Amino acid sequence: MGRLSGMRPFTYVRATAVRDAVAGVADHPGATFVSGGTDLLNLMKDSAQIHEHVVDINALPLATIDIQPGGPARIGAVARMRDVAEHPAVRSTLPVLAEALLGSASPQVRNMASIGGNLLQRTRCGYFRDAGTPCNKREPGSGCPALTGENRWHAVLGGSEHCIAVHPSDLAVALLALDATVISTGPDCERRTPLNEFYLLPGQTPDRENVLNHGELIVGVEVPTTPLAARSRYLKVRDRATFEFAVVSVAAAVELRGRQVQDVRLAFGGIATRPWRAFAAEDALRGRELTDDVLVAAAAEVVRGATPREQNAFKTELAQRATVDVLRALR
Ligand code: SF4
């Protein structure tokens, strides 16, 4: 039985086989997996998330980082953020991924936090993390005070009248721009989910953030290593230069033929309720030269249809400027 100050009692087991880890969570309605624990334990201490049983997955053989020439990168779910960010082949073939990881969290957190856990971290919305306030994501049906309250950090895209919280992962934004696939295994399934289909919009059920079922474990991610991926950048705009979540971030990958865009990916953090792919902006860039006029026009597509709130309207302008800046660096 583990117990920390302010934390409710829970039982703990350390799994040594994937099958046992999955069964250990699937068989307990209040159970969850833990790896680095850098987000989960804070949520449990604050009672923003309550679990009666925790299954430690750190002993599972899921820490490998495998990049063979010409093949996809395969990164295990319990590989540490630091190890992935500093891997020479990641830095050379998937620079946007290394940059996003190095721009995330503190060195201490990067030493502990895992790739799978990073993808499943919860929103930084202050109401969600304060168990004393209503929040539809934490307690469905209780309301969303952010709609009219503190919403400087919140989403301008993908929100609903039930939730406008942004997803906080830099890693997920980079993986989205790289066409990554999430590999998971559950009691009755093994499946591969394109990252673009992994996260759900809040709609009427903001408590459900991704397609995973209870007891389904992320075992790794697979990332194509393409010319597009090799020419990629991550730009993160934040309130201070260290250990801070994105106000706006953009992951961009561009493949040029001569001066024309052969292919392009643009994904955003900080502006939407899930990592956000800007398909219309990509369409505005394909086949074009990256002149300033083309960049500005594409950037306008990123925020078309945005719904700013009282405190976060600045994000629509900031996202466009970030788009132009990152694409200038890639032309
Ligand atoms: Fe909760 Fe979402 Fe509203 Fe934040 S924005 S208070 S997470 S429902």
Side-chain angles (χ1 to χ4, degrees):
M1 185 85 68
R3 184 158 199 178
L4 296 175
S5 171
M7 188 182 283
R8 299 194 190 190
F10 61 92
T11 51
Y12 166 93
V13 295
R14 187 171 175 90
T16 54
V18 169
R19 183 183 58 246
D20 295 341
V22 167
V25 172
D27 293 348
H28 295 81
T32 191
F33 303 107
V34 67
S35 181
T38 52
D39 190 34
L40 179 68
L41 295 183
N42 286 331
L43 290 165
M44 290 176 70
K45 280 190 281 189
D46 293 341
S47 297
Q49 206 164 302
I50 295 168
H51 298 285
E52 293 144 12
H53 185 58
V54 171
V55 176
D56 185 333
I57 61 170
N58 286 299
L60 302 183
L62 301 175
T64 52
I65 304 167
D66 180 22
I67 308 181
Q68 303 295 331
R74 295 190 175 89
I75 303 171
V78 301
R80 268 29 195 185
M81 288 172 66
R82 179 201 60 188
D83 295 334
V84 178
E86 294 180 356
H87 194 288
V90 171
R91 296 173 76 112
S92 61
T93 62
L94 308 166
V96 68
L97 183 54
E99 290 174 13
L101 287 167
L102 288 171
S104 301
S106 64
Q108 293 87 345
V109 169
R110 291 199 296 272
N111 287 343
M112 285 295 295
S114 68
I115 294 302
N118 185 301
L119 295 179
L120 297 179
Q121 66 181 292
R122 309 299 302 277
T123 181
R124 310 309 296 188
C125 173
Y127 300 111
F128 172 75
R129 285 177 181 260
D130 179 356
T133 63
C135 168
N136 285 328
K137 186 182 281 295
R138 178 170 28 77
E139 195 178 334
S142 62
C144 175
L147 293 173
T148 54
E150 290 290 330
N151 52 35
R152 178 179 181 272
W153 284 80
H154 289 67
V156 295
L157 290 163
S160 73
E161 288 307 306
H162 300 276
C163 182
I164 53 170
V166 297
H167 195 278
S169 171
D170 296 296
L171 169 68
V173 175
L175 289 175
L176 185 59
L178 294 170
D179 296 320
T181 298
V182 177
I183 304 166
S184 59
T185 185
D188 305 314
C189 72
E190 287 185 16
R191 58 174 165 165
R192 300 164 56 84
T193 308
L195 197 72
N196 193 44
E197 299 169 15
F198 182 76
Y199 293 105
L200 304 174
L201 292 172
Q204 298 186 6
T205 54
D207 53 312
R208 183 133 199 266
E209 296 178 355
N210 58 60
V211 301
L212 294 178
N213 296 312
H214 180 69
E216 190 173 352
L217 174 68
I218 295 179
V219 294
V221 294
E222 192 172 286
V223 191
T225 55
T226 60
L228 186 68
R231 206 156 182 288
S232 58
R233 297 287 300 269
Y234 193 71
L235 175 62
K236 180 172 180 176
V237 182
R238 47 191 168 178
D239 283 341
R240 55 181 183 164
T242 182
F243 189 19
E244 189 58 279
F245 292 88
V247 177
V248 169
S249 68
V250 52
V254 177
E255 183 180 358
L256 295 174
R257 177 180 288 175
R259 298 174 65 86
Q260 286 190 333
V261 175
Q262 173 84 357
D263 206 358
V264 58
R265 299 286 185 277
L266 287 173
F268 290 81
I271 61 171
T273 50
R274 66 177 186 184
W276 193 260
R277 181 92 177 264
F279 290 103
E282 294 173 8
D283 290 342
L285 294 168
R286 283 195 188 86
R288 311 290 299 274
E289 285 189 29
L290 294 177
T291 63
D292 278 356
D293 286 348
V294 168
L295 298 189
V296 169
E301 295 298 327
V302 172
V303 292
R304 193 175 296 283
T307 308
R309 304 281 165 172
E310 187 177 351
Q311 297 173 4
N312 68 1
F314 73 98
K315 285 190 176 184
T316 58
E317 177 67 24
L318 191 57
Q320 292 178 81
R321 291 178 182 229
T323 305
V324 170
D325 280 359
V326 77
L327 289 170
R328 277 181 180 152
L330 285 166
R331 67 185 178 189

